[in-house]
Amino acid sequence: MRKSTVAEPFSTPRVRKYSWPNIQRDFVKNWPLLVMVLPAVIFYIIFHYIPMGGLLMAFENFKPKLGFFHSPFVGLKNFQDFFSSAYSWRVIRNTLTLSLLQIGIEFPLTIIFALLLNELRSKRFRKTVQTISYMPYFISMVVVAGIIIDFCSTDGAITSLIGAVTGNYDNLLGNPANWRTIYVASDLWKNLGFDSIIYVAALSSIDQTLYEAAEIDGANRFQRILRVTIPGITDTIMIMLILRIGQMLSVGYEKTILLYNPQVYETADILSSFVYRKGLQEANYGYSTAVSLFNSVINFVLLLFANSVSKKYTESGLF
């Protein structure tokens, strides 16, 4: 009589326990990869983790001659001084406004630029456009700031063009109403090409047979972009958006410090430039560290929030 067989349940995979001999074997097997990643690990330890000890200054009336452990402890006084000051809302508002403008204008335009590059049929023309668009990124920020100052001065090229239409030849950088427009426009010119690299790389990994199938189904070029191209890079877009939201309060101080002046503080002064003035110019190290710590904590909270929302609605996230 034939013996009946019963399907055995799937066995769960064994979890490998890392003992010291296993770690040694892994090191011997993968040591070239570990050596390659070692400089990055050392860099982050030296320049990112060790300096975190300086956060103690946020809770102290820090005096360099007394050091971290002997400066007077003041608790949350530096935070209270910042939030009760007349400048706290101004710098937070300006930082958020610039970040939202960058996310709302620069972020989608970068994706659109990558999509347009992907649609170019001539490889030579595509490479030429890419090279030209990448070049401004490698220009020093000091040089870029000098160009902006010259072009926006009273007799600058941009001022002359605007003055020919409006009749106003005043220095553009001296008007607070012009600051954000100049900042975003120059940022877009400098970073558009370089920021599109990751999207161009993601576009090149899309299966070409999907385009062929869509074309057979009668989809035109615009429909193929909507139905094939954009869904193919959605995960990349979401990851980049999460990272950008996680840096919402970290608008770079370099260009701001190089371009702004007391006349435009009302719209130009941001958290990073405020920290620079308080910390390096006024030597109020505890106060500036407290503002910087507040900046970092808010960025971390925004990163967690953006990641959770992305995982909930798109099933993609950083972690």
Side-chain angles (χ1 to χ4, degrees):
M1 192 172 175
R2 191 173 178 180
K3 192 174 182 180
S4 61
T5 58
V6 179
E8 296 182 358
F10 291 104
S11 58
T12 57
R14 281 192 310 174
V15 179
R16 184 177 181 184
K17 295 182 179 180
Y18 272 87
S19 59
W20 180 246
N22 288 335
I23 295 175
Q24 287 180 315
R25 280 197 298 270
D26 284 348
F27 180 81
V28 172
K29 181 180 179 180
N30 301 312
W31 71 266
L33 299 176
L34 296 173
V35 171
M36 289 176 62
V37 79
L38 187 60
V41 173
I42 294 175
F43 172 83
Y44 275 94
I45 290 175
I46 294 176
F47 294 102
H48 290 267
Y49 286 97
I50 293 178
M52 288 179 69
L55 294 177
L56 288 172
M57 290 188 293
F59 307 96
E60 298 175 338
N61 182 15
F62 181 74
K63 304 295 182 183
K65 63 180 181 180
L66 298 178
F68 294 128
F69 303 105
H70 298 287
S71 295
F73 181 78
V74 296
L76 299 177
K77 183 179 183 301
N78 291 321
F79 296 93
Q80 294 171 351
D81 290 344
F82 171 66
F83 289 112
S84 61
S85 70
Y87 306 110
S88 58
W89 167 241
R90 185 182 73 180
V91 295
I92 293 174
R93 180 197 64 208
N94 292 340
T95 306
L96 284 174
T97 302
L98 273 181
S99 290
L100 291 174
L101 286 173
Q102 289 176 323
I103 295 175
I105 297 175
E106 296 180 31
F107 188 80
L109 285 180
T110 302
I111 299 171
I112 293 172
F113 181 71
L115 293 173
L116 293 175
L117 283 177
N118 188 61
E119 292 299 314
L120 292 176
R121 299 305 183 200
S122 173
K123 291 185 179 180
R124 179 176 297 180
F125 182 63
R126 183 193 305 172
K127 290 180 179 179
T128 302
V129 173
Q130 284 180 298
T131 302
I132 294 173
S133 65
Y134 295 166
M135 288 173 65
Y137 179 81
F138 299 99
I139 302 176
S140 169
M141 183 57 72
V142 176
V143 176
V144 170
I147 294 172
I148 295 172
I149 291 172
D150 288 341
F151 277 35
C152 296
S153 61
T154 305
D155 56 351
I158 297 177
T159 306
S160 299
L161 290 174
I162 296 176
V165 178
T166 63
N168 184 3
Y169 291 89
D170 293 338
N171 188 330
L172 296 177
L173 288 174
N175 187 348
N178 299 329
W179 170 259
R180 290 167 184 156
T181 302
I182 295 172
Y183 188 98
V184 174
S186 59
D187 212 37
L188 188 63
W189 169 75
K190 190 176 190 301
N191 298 320
L192 178 66
F194 189 83
D195 289 347
S196 67
I197 290 177
I198 191 167
Y199 300 110
V200 173
L203 289 168
S204 64
S205 65
I206 297 176
D207 189 355
Q208 297 301 310
T209 59
L210 297 176
Y211 291 104
E212 297 173 1
E215 189 174 1
I216 292 172
D217 289 340
N220 57 35
R221 178 175 291 187
F222 183 71
Q223 289 172 331
R224 292 197 295 270
I225 293 174
L226 290 179
R227 303 298 182 183
V228 178
T229 307
I230 294 179
I233 61 171
T234 299
D235 288 345
T236 303
I237 293 174
M238 293 309 302
I239 294 298
M240 298 304 296
L241 181 60
I242 292 169
L243 292 173
R244 185 62 192 85
I245 292 175
Q247 299 174 343
M248 187 171 287
L249 293 184
S250 297
V251 179
Y253 67 91
E254 298 94 342
K255 187 164 70 171
T256 300
I257 292 173
L258 290 169
L259 293 179
Y260 79 161
N261 56 77
Q263 295 179 5
V264 295
Y265 275 177
E266 183 59 31
T267 57
D269 197 18
I270 56 178
L271 280 167
S272 54
S273 60
F274 184 74
V275 169
Y276 167 79
R277 289 203 311 277
K278 288 294 181 180
L280 296 181
Q281 293 184 344
E282 300 180 16
N284 195 345
Y285 302 110
Y287 186 91
S288 61
T289 304
V291 178
S292 183
L293 179 58
F294 161 76
N295 187 356
S296 300
V297 170
I298 297 300
N299 280 336
F300 180 67
V301 172
L302 289 172
L303 177 66
L304 294 178
F305 174 75
N307 186 74
S308 62
V309 172
S310 176
K311 290 187 70 175
K312 181 178 180 180
Y313 292 101
T314 67
E315 297 183 358
S316 62
L318 290 175
F319 45 84

